[in-house]
Amino acid sequence: QVRLVESGGGLVQAGGSLRLSCAASGSIFSINTMGWYRQAPGKQRALVAEMSSGGSSGGSTNYADSVKGRFTISRDNAKNTVDLQMNSLQPEDTAVYYCRLRQNANYWGQGTQVTVSS
């Protein structure tokens, strides 16, 4: 059983910053990918950023084009956590943000709301 718990969402003005955190517990494999997806009203859930567990050289990252240069993903493999630092937030970043763990299957958190006001 795998459980993902997200925190850190909220309301922020355009240009502001938020940091999302996700903690995974349960049967976590040493090799996996953790990341963040978001779903805005009326839209499909889409990748924001993800990061593999990596090896001695660290994990590889993948970002949506719309967040490159503004968002930074990081993780702590020992603690099974993944964070998303979001800077220069814009109203179009408003969505429910979901943490995802991919290993033998896909596991999702419950989601956290991020609202950016103009």
Side-chain angles (χ1 to χ4, degrees):
Q1 194 78 343
V2 173
R3 184 181 183 215
L4 302 176
V5 178
E6 301 125 332
S7 61
L11 174 64
V12 65
Q13 289 188 334
S17 298
L18 282 174
R19 187 176 184 89
L20 305 182
S21 296
C22 173
S25 60
S27 181
I28 310 299
F29 294 1
S30 60
I31 298 175
N32 59 59
T33 297
M34 294 186 75
W36 292 92
Y37 283 67
R38 66 187 181 187
Q39 187 166 19
K43 294 187 177 182
Q44 290 188 332
R45 193 174 297 188
L47 172 72
V48 176
E50 64 182 1
M51 188 172 187
S52 65
S53 51
S56 58
S57 59
S60 61
T61 57
N62 184 27
Y63 290 92
D65 288 343
S66 60
V67 307
K68 286 180 180 177
R70 299 189 298 125
F71 292 9
T72 302
I73 190 170
S74 60
R75 60 181 291 171
D76 185 328
N77 291 335
K79 297 181 179 178
N80 293 317
T81 59
V82 62
D83 292 348
L84 185 68
Q85 178 65 41
M86 305 185 294
N87 299 328
S88 301
L89 282 161
Q90 299 301 317
E92 53 265 34
D93 294 316
T94 295
V96 177
Y97 284 68
Y98 296 91
C99 177
R100 188 189 80 162
L101 167 69
R102 176 162 56 89
Q103 42 185 42
N104 59 321
N106 287 322
Y107 300 92
W108 296 91
Q110 79 285 357
T112 185
Q113 178 70 46
V114 171
T115 302
V116 185
S117 62
S118 57

